[in-house]
């Protein structure tokens, strides 16, 4: 059964700092990997999706990488801002017809002004 | 606008009173799914549907029912809610065979069972 782990569970950084969030998964037979942002009590906003055949995706200040063979993904946030404060969730979509999404427990990011 | 719409956003109910949380998507997606989110447990899949009239259990299906009579709708039914079903619920959809397309989630339904 797929397991997804995110480290660290919480991170606090000063504004302007570059940071990396980590995600690891146990089964490399994935369809794709998606990073989400969740504000407290709110829904999930999709940030980036990386297909299993891709190595990275970029959107603005965000860059996500995927190393399927080692079961790892990173989310790089450049020049962090207080508005980036949220919980970031990594989710892996399994191969096969079920397309089940398995989530990590998230990294709670606080960017201090 | 392409979206997944859940209703209601907030619901307080009493133990044993049947309720339905609706979910509708306007993107013609084959695959729909329900998740619940609980502190310390993260997001867990309740049920999913790969297409009309095709549903299957996820990781935590006990106490829930679903139906998929139309492609756009996937309601979640709690026939006899209990306090341990107090949670934040999300519906999601995705086209089944497009690897370059990610999940779209609804805004969530916060359910409290007293």
């Amino acid at each position: 059964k797929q397991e997804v782990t995110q480290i660290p569970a919480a991170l606090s950084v000063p504004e302007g700092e570059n940071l990396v969030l980590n995600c690891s998964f146990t089964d490399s037979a994935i369809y794709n990997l998606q990073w989400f942002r969740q504000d407290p009590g709110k829904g999930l906003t999709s940030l980036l999706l990386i297909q299993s055949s891709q190595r990275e995706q970029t959107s603005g200040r965000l860059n996500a990488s995927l190393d399927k063979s080692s079961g790892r993904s990173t989310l790089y946030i450049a020049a962090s801002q207080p508005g980036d404060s949220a919980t970031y969730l990594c989710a892996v979509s399994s191969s096969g017809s079920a397309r089940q999404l398995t989530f990590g427990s998230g990294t709670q990011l606080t960017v201090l002004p | 606008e392409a979206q997944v719409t859940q209703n209601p956003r907030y619901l307080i109910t009493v133990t044993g009173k049947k309720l339905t949380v609706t979910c509708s998507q306007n993107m013609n997606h084959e695959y729909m799914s329900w998740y619940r989110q609980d502190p310390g447990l993260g997001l867990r899949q309740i049920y999913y549907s790969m297409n009309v009239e095709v549903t299957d259990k996820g990781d935590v299906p006990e106490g829930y029912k679903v139906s998929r009579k139309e492609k756009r709708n996937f309601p979640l039914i709690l026939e006899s809610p209990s306090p341990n079903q107090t949670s934040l619920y999300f519906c999601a959809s995705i086209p089944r065979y497009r690897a370059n397309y990610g999940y779209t989630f609804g805004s969530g339904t916060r359910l409290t069972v007293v």
Side-chain angles (χ1 to χ4, degrees), chain B:
Chain B
E1 180 188 354
Q3 60 186 358
V4 176
T5 304
Q6 290 179 232
N7 280 298
R9 290 292 309 277
Y10 301 92
L11 180 59
I12 301 174
T13 191
V14 296
T15 299
K17 185 176 181 182
K18 182 180 178 179
L19 66 91
T20 299
V21 183
T22 64
C23 174
S24 180
Q25 50 94 3
N26 61 0
M27 297 166 282
N28 202 38
H29 288 170
E30 296 87 1
Y31 187 99
M32 297 185 73
S33 182
W34 276 102
Y35 290 83
R36 62 177 288 175
Q37 186 176 33
D38 302 288
L41 297 174
L43 279 135
R44 296 175 292 168
Q45 190 182 51
I46 304 170
Y47 267 95
Y48 64 93
S49 169
M50 287 191 280
N51 215 323
V52 176
E53 301 292 2
V54 181
T55 64
D56 209 345
K57 298 176 180 179
D59 296 322
V60 288
E62 296 78 18
Y64 304 95
K65 285 177 58 177
V66 292
S67 69
R68 188 88 182 274
K69 293 185 172 60
E70 307 164 281
K71 199 170 187 179
R72 64 183 291 126
N73 296 323
F74 189 44
L76 179 69
I77 303 157
L78 287 72
E79 298 226 324
S80 184
S82 62
N84 65 11
Q85 292 179 298
T86 292
S87 186
L88 181 57
Y89 291 86
F90 291 103
C91 180
S93 74
I94 192 170
R96 185 173 168 185
Y97 297 112
R98 290 174 60 185
N100 62 338
Y101 208 98
Y103 276 79
T104 300
F105 278 78
S107 300
T109 295
R110 184 167 292 282
L111 172 65
T112 302
V113 183
V114 297

Side-chain angles (χ1 to χ4, degrees), chain A:
Chain A
K1 182 182 174 183
Q2 180 75 269
E3 292 182 6
V4 180
T5 303
Q6 290 187 247
I7 294 172
L11 181 63
S12 184
V13 300
E15 182 177 2
E17 192 162 298
N18 302 325
L19 59 101
V20 174
L21 307 181
N22 297 294
C23 171
S24 62
F25 48 94
T26 55
D27 185 353
S28 61
I30 66 171
Y31 203 60
N32 56 38
L33 183 147
Q34 204 167 350
W35 283 93
F36 294 90
R37 168 188 172 137
Q38 186 177 28
D39 294 289
K42 304 290 187 183
L44 280 71
T45 301
S46 180
L47 298 174
L48 288 165
L49 178 141
I50 311 178
Q51 297 177 59
S52 62
S53 58
Q54 296 177 324
R55 299 284 291 183
E56 65 177 333
Q57 283 287 332
T58 298
S59 176
R61 295 183 292 110
L62 305 179
N63 176 278
S65 69
L66 174 64
D67 184 342
K68 207 171 69 161
S69 61
S70 67
R72 293 180 182 178
S73 176
T74 62
L75 179 67
Y76 174 83
I77 302 177
S80 58
Q81 303 170 358
D84 294 331
S85 298
T87 296
Y88 290 81
L89 295 160
C90 166
V92 172
S93 180
S94 60
S95 294
S97 60
R99 293 293 305 276
Q100 183 174 9
L101 204 60
T102 303
F103 282 86
S105 53
T107 294
Q108 186 174 4
L109 173 65
T110 302
V111 181
L112 303 168

